[in-house]
Amino acid sequence: MFKTALRNVLAHKARLLMTVLAVMLGVAFVSGTLVFTDTLKSAFKNQSAKSYDNVAVAVTSYGSGDDKQDPGVSKQTVRKIEALDGVASVNGRVDGFAGVADRHGKLIGQGWANKGGNYSPGKDGRDGKDPAYDFTDGSGPVKDGQIALDEDTASKGGYKVGDPVRVATNGPVKTYTLSGVFTTEDGSVNAGGSLVLFDTKVAQQLYLKPGFFKNVNVSATPGADARKILDEVTPLIPEHATAKTGQALAVQEADDIEKGLSALNQTLLAFAAIALFVGVFLISNTFTMLVAQRTKELALMRAVGASRSQVRRSVLTEALVVGVTASAIGFGLGIGLAAGLRSAMSGFGMKIPGGALIVSATPVIAALAVGVLVTLIAALLPAWRAAKIPPVAAMNSVHAAATTKSLVVRNTIGAIITLLGAGAVLSGAAAGKDGKTMIGLGAFLALVGIIVLIPLLSRPVIALVRPALAKMFGVSGKLASQNAVRNPRRTGATASALAIGLTLVTGLSVLGVTVGKAIDKTTTDNIKADYMVAMASRDALDKSVVPELRKAPGVTAVSPKQNSYLKADGDFHSVTGVTPGDVEKVLRLDTVSGSLATLGKGQLAIDDELAAKHGWKPGSSLPVEFDDKKKTKLVVGAVYKKQEFLESMLASTSVLDPHETRPHIETVFVKMAGGATKANEQALVNALGDNPAISFMDQQDIRDEFGGMINTLLNIMYGLLAMALLIAVLGVINTLAMSVFERQQEIGMLRAIGLDRGKVKRMIRLEAVVISVFGAVIGVGLGTFLAWAIGQTIKGSIPAYALVIPWDRIGLFLLLAGLVGVLAALWPARSAARLNMLTAIKTE
């Protein structure tokens, strides 16, 4: 029986090729994901371990930066640590944001990943070297006015040692002289950012306070005990600092890296699972077709003594051979995929630490287990059916049709599962933000139920388009619609593959477009300003920005969004500092009661939700405590409708500034005469000294800022789901090939009575289009329903949320489904048209 199974595999290479492709793609995704994430983990762990190679103890400070207390580890503390037995050297570190301008004044790097730090040479000062950096040209900065750049940033900016370089921190832009270029494995550079090194005194002045460090790395002499040094260092450091051994920190970072990559790993594996699930339908159809082609052979085997279990094992053995072959090929492709993903990340500006691909036993075992298991599961039903066919019935090519009882049982079970799933989804939607788990369970049940019911649904749904097909394409259209429902089980299995893919694609599209429109509506409705000014790093703007912007020609209104908080009537509340008189011109504020003009008198404005919660109204006097613990009373002067860009309380910046060491200005809104123009934007850029670290966003930029990430994520999801749709295409090809095989005699008769080759091809193509579009319609409907339900759980946290059906995208999905059918029908249609009519008529 094993020899027979092996011979059958070799005899049906073309049919089994599509099964191999389906399994191969899924296995490639699984193994590629595991190899890719293992490689990333290993690379980052090695980088982390390398960064702590010479660190016996690391001290981390969590000081507030307040001038009234020590903001970090003092220079005196560093000297005490240097004097301990077993300590070879101590390097103090400070860091913060630093953006480098290229020769055109544009920011180099990703903004949020642009970093500045200090160059810390050894005890011998100027002639010492910082062990954290290897210089390829020049040397480290040792005085004010000098900087060093990482190699990638210097290359992007076209800078060489001795060149002037404009650098922005959180203050005004300053020009420095480039003293050296270095290589580094710093995480900010690997993430696509930049690293600027300053002299230690300069970095302390920029980021902390003269004489203080944020972090301190302690190196030990050979043979010294790191634990002993840790015990002696701990009593010396301030209360707001912690000390750990370098080895402990390396292990901690490795764990953090693994946790950070787990989400990526799970996401990629989820899409691999979807592809494999879709592949089950293709594999099942393939083996059903092979069994149908071998009915006489199976009957003969039964007649000469083969038992049902032997026939069943024969089919499963074929599946095993196919699964092992596909898994081996898929694993090889997976390694290539992992290498490709690694290169792609570099293309997105992320620099992955060097190292070989890590191929452990896990992806090898997973690839083999997943590929073989999926293939065997998909082949179980065809094997069971093959074993049930009586020898006489099989010899006469009388296929065992599904009995009425079996169809009734199937439809009943499908209806029950579908109703349970729909009920769970509706219950989850009604539960709001707490209903996500219920919707997930309901979605799974509904999808399974629909798959079970699809054969039943195929007849009435396809019947709706039958008159149109007959009218437009004549006999070919009529025959195509009839053929599409001739074997509802097979049609359903094929349509299910497309339905699963389109359910996910449609659901993601509806949610993405809806959330994007809500964000767009929020920005359009609430922002009247022409420009929103912010740091590219998303750090706070310097307080000098507001008065400098006021001086720019054409500016008519400027208001910051200054974040603060105060304690009012015993409770802490977030408050936004604004400019009275200007805030109404740059943001849309609807006054419910009172007057916003009272902000200029030092009074508070509160939103209607906060007012209703506490019973406050214009005239209410509130005892408040500021961030510096000073207390006073403030009067509520206005109540306004809740505004998403502002906190629940508004106050003039003149009220908040005296109580804050450094105001936290998140953004500044600017209104200009003539609106958003290139000239007006340049005026703002010039007003802030052509600072590359500051971004100037008009209305469209603001929309992109808040909604751009959604479109990016959607495109990634579409790319990942494309594999599942590709497998669905293979399924359509399989179904049509099987249909052509079963109808050879019929096609021969049609040709004999005058149906030419062109019309035969059209019939097969239309059949493919009907099946594909039928699956797409089911997927679009189910995907839209699930997107609506999920939307009910998140609409409370998204302002202006309202379901939007992207009819243009849905139309495109249906059009693509039809195109899938046309492409999938190319080979089967050509095969059908080339059949010899006399040979086909004689086929039993």
Side-chain angles (χ1 to χ4, degrees):
M1 294 300 289
F2 177 76
K3 290 181 178 179
T4 302
L6 188 59
R7 180 185 59 79
N8 286 324
V9 170
L10 297 174
H12 301 94
K13 293 185 288 292
R15 295 284 186 268
L16 290 172
L17 176 62
M18 286 176 281
T19 296
V20 169
L21 285 172
V23 179
M24 181 182 70
L25 289 172
V27 168
F29 216 146
V30 172
S31 57
T33 295
L34 294 174
V35 171
F36 175 61
T37 51
D38 283 349
T39 299
L40 287 187
K41 287 176 190 175
S42 175
F44 284 118
K45 282 180 180 179
N46 290 340
Q47 174 187 304
S48 176
K50 184 180 178 182
S51 64
Y52 289 107
D53 271 350
N54 299 316
V55 178
V57 174
V59 179
T60 304
S61 169
Y62 299 95
S64 66
D66 192 334
D67 288 338
K68 295 181 181 179
Q69 68 175 28
D70 291 349
V73 180
S74 67
K75 188 175 182 180
Q76 291 76 16
T77 300
V78 170
R79 286 175 179 170
K80 291 178 182 178
I81 296 173
E82 284 178 332
L84 295 175
D85 289 338
V87 173
S89 64
V90 180
N91 283 301
R93 303 290 181 190
V94 288
D95 58 62
F97 169 76
V100 181
D102 63 16
R103 296 188 182 276
H104 303 289
K106 301 299 182 183
L107 182 68
I108 299 174
Q110 300 292 332
W112 59 270
N114 291 340
K115 179 182 170 184
N118 66 306
Y119 177 70
S120 180
K123 292 181 180 179
D124 50 351
R126 288 176 180 270
D127 297 325
K129 295 182 180 179
D130 191 324
Y133 309 104
D134 295 322
F135 278 80
T136 59
D137 193 14
S139 59
V142 292
K143 62 181 181 180
D144 191 5
Q146 290 185 336
I147 61 163
L149 291 177
D150 69 271
E151 195 172 45
D152 288 347
T153 302
S155 176
K156 290 174 184 175
Y159 293 122
K160 297 180 180 179
V161 172
D163 287 348
V165 181
R166 297 177 68 246
V167 180
T169 53
N170 287 335
V173 183
K174 185 177 178 181
T175 300
Y176 297 84
T177 299
L178 183 63
S179 67
V181 177
F182 58 89
T183 59
T184 178
E185 290 294 335
D186 188 275
S188 60
V189 177
N190 287 335
S194 61
L195 178 59
V196 183
L197 295 182
F198 301 92
D199 174 61
T200 294
K201 290 182 179 179
V202 174
Q204 288 175 330
Q205 185 68 44
L206 285 171
Y207 299 126
L208 209 59
K209 186 179 179 181
F212 286 89
F213 299 96
K214 182 178 179 182
N215 304 306
V216 175
N217 293 334
V218 182
S219 298
T221 57
D225 184 2
R227 292 294 309 177
K228 182 176 180 296
I229 297 174
L230 175 65
D231 293 338
E232 294 178 352
V233 166
T234 302
L236 300 178
I237 62 178
E239 292 181 357
H240 54 72
T242 60
K244 292 183 179 180
T245 63
Q247 184 179 7
L249 281 174
V251 171
Q252 180 181 320
E253 281 197 11
D255 291 340
D256 292 341
I257 289 167
E258 190 158 349
K259 290 177 183 176
L261 290 174
S262 64
L264 172 65
N265 192 38
Q266 291 169 7
T267 300
L268 292 175
L269 287 177
F271 283 98
I274 291 167
L276 287 167
F277 184 54
V278 171
V280 166
F281 297 99
L282 186 154
I283 299 165
S284 181
N285 267 359
T286 299
F287 280 95
T288 299
M289 178 170 62
L290 293 177
V291 168
Q293 288 178 323
R294 293 165 47 208
T295 50
K296 284 190 175 182
E297 177 189 323
L298 292 172
L300 182 60
M301 290 170 61
R302 290 292 312 281
V304 297
S307 65
R308 288 187 175 185
S309 60
Q310 285 179 309
V311 171
R312 191 181 301 117
R313 283 198 300 271
S314 174
V315 176
L316 292 177
T317 300
E318 292 180 48
L320 178 64
V321 173
V322 171
V324 170
T325 304
S327 298
I329 300 172
F331 179 72
L333 286 177
I335 294 176
L337 177 63
L341 286 172
R342 186 173 176 175
S343 300
M345 290 188 74
S346 299
F348 283 107
M350 295 188 69
K351 183 179 176 183
I352 307 301
L357 286 175
I358 304 300
V359 183
S360 63
T362 301
V364 177
I365 295 170
L368 188 63
V370 168
V372 172
L373 190 62
V374 166
T375 310
L376 288 176
I377 289 173
L380 277 175
L381 188 57
W384 180 73
R385 286 177 179 165
K388 281 189 66 178
I389 298 175
V392 174
M395 286 180 178
N396 288 305
S397 297
V398 179
H399 301 289
T403 64
T404 303
K405 179 180 178 182
S406 70
L407 291 174
V408 169
V409 171
R410 174 178 178 141
N411 294 335
T412 302
I413 293 173
I416 293 172
I417 295 175
T418 303
L419 289 173
L420 287 173
V425 170
L426 292 172
S427 298
K433 63 180 182 180
D434 298 323
K436 293 185 177 68
T437 303
M438 183 65 75
I439 290 176
L441 175 62
F444 175 75
L445 291 174
L447 192 58
V448 171
I450 290 293
I451 290 171
V452 175
L453 279 178
I454 271 187
L456 175 67
L457 296 172
S458 64
R459 291 184 181 277
V461 173
I462 294 176
L464 294 175
V465 299
R466 186 176 297 166
L469 288 174
K471 186 175 182 180
M472 294 172 63
F473 301 102
V475 174
S476 296
K478 183 177 180 180
L479 291 173
S481 60
Q482 290 175 345
N483 292 331
V485 294
R486 174 176 293 187
N487 190 328
R489 288 181 184 273
R490 192 167 61 236
T491 297
T494 305
S496 294
L498 282 167
I500 294 168
L502 266 297
T503 295
L504 296 169
V505 170
T506 303
L508 288 171
S509 296
V510 172
L511 276 176
V513 171
T514 298
V515 172
K517 291 288 185 183
I519 292 173
D520 184 52
K521 192 172 187 295
T522 299
T523 56
T524 305
D525 285 359
N526 293 329
I527 298 180
K528 296 161 67 176
D530 297 311
Y531 291 98
M532 185 173 81
V533 182
M535 290 290 290
S537 63
R538 297 302 173 259
D539 289 333
L541 288 159
D542 189 78
K543 61 182 179 181
S544 64
V545 167
V546 175
E548 292 300 323
L549 287 172
R550 290 188 191 284
K551 299 175 186 176
V555 171
T556 58
V558 176
S559 179
K561 180 186 177 184
Q562 181 174 315
N563 296 333
S564 185
Y565 72 91
L566 52 79
K567 192 175 182 179
D569 203 17
D571 294 326
F572 284 98
H573 298 278
S574 296
V575 58
T576 301
V578 297
T579 302
D582 281 5
V583 65
E584 305 98 310
K585 298 175 183 177
V586 296
L587 295 174
R588 183 164 283 106
L589 288 169
D590 299 324
T591 305
V592 176
S593 58
S595 171
L596 290 172
T598 57
L599 287 170
K601 301 176 182 179
Q603 297 184 6
L604 286 174
I606 59 176
D607 70 32
D608 51 353
E609 291 185 10
L610 183 64
K613 181 179 179 180
H614 292 274
W616 295 334
K617 58 185 178 180
S620 298
S621 180
L622 309 180
V624 300
E625 180 181 316
F626 292 98
D627 188 31
D628 60 358
K629 306 303 180 184
K630 291 184 179 180
K631 299 179 180 179
T632 188
K633 284 191 176 181
L634 293 178
V635 176
V636 176
V639 176
Y640 60 92
K641 190 173 181 181
K642 186 173 179 64
Q643 218 273 19
E644 298 303 328
F645 279 90
L646 300 172
E647 301 294 347
S648 298
M649 284 187 170
L650 296 184
S652 170
T653 53
S654 62
V655 172
L656 301 175
D657 285 352
H659 304 283
E660 298 182 346
T661 304
R662 183 180 179 183
H664 188 278
I665 301 174
E666 182 181 307
T667 54
V668 178
F669 295 99
V670 183
K671 188 76 174 174
M672 304 191 74
T677 64
K678 288 185 177 180
N680 280 341
E681 182 176 341
Q682 190 60 48
L684 297 181
V685 171
N686 294 338
L688 297 183
D690 195 14
N691 192 325
I694 297 178
S695 61
F696 301 85
M697 293 176 276
D698 59 20
Q699 287 272 347
Q700 187 57 51
D701 292 331
I702 295 171
R703 292 189 185 100
D704 295 340
E705 171 76 9
F706 290 97
M709 182 59 71
I710 294 172
N711 291 328
T712 300
L713 288 174
L714 274 179
N715 290 333
I716 293 173
M717 296 298 182
Y718 289 157
L720 293 172
L721 288 170
M723 188 174 66
L725 294 177
L726 175 60
I727 294 174
V729 172
L730 297 177
V732 177
I733 295 173
N734 248 12
T735 294
L736 293 176
M738 186 173 181
S739 178
V740 169
F741 166 75
E742 289 181 349
R743 289 156 39 206
Q744 289 184 62
Q745 189 178 61
E746 175 189 316
I747 292 171
M749 291 294 294
L750 290 172
R751 292 277 288 113
I753 61 174
L755 196 67
D756 60 35
R757 289 184 174 181
K759 290 182 179 178
V760 169
K761 287 183 179 180
R762 187 183 303 160
M763 175 184 70
I764 303 298
R765 290 190 193 118
L766 288 174
E767 182 180 343
V769 170
V770 167
I771 293 173
S772 299
V773 174
F774 166 61
V777 168
I778 297 294
V780 165
L782 185 56
T784 303
F785 172 62
L786 295 177
W788 165 82
I790 295 170
Q792 298 303 299
T793 68
I794 62 174
K795 69 176 183 180
S797 58
I798 300 178
Y801 183 93
L803 186 69
V804 177
I805 307 296
W807 295 111
D808 53 341
R809 297 195 188 191
I810 288 176
L812 179 62
F813 296 157
L814 295 176
L815 183 64
L816 288 175
L819 181 61
V820 162
V822 172
L823 294 176
L826 289 177
W827 174 54
R830 183 169 177 270
S831 298
R834 294 182 65 185
L835 283 174
N836 183 291
M837 66 180 74
L838 295 179
T839 303
I841 290 171
K842 291 190 293 181
T843 302
E844 295 182 8

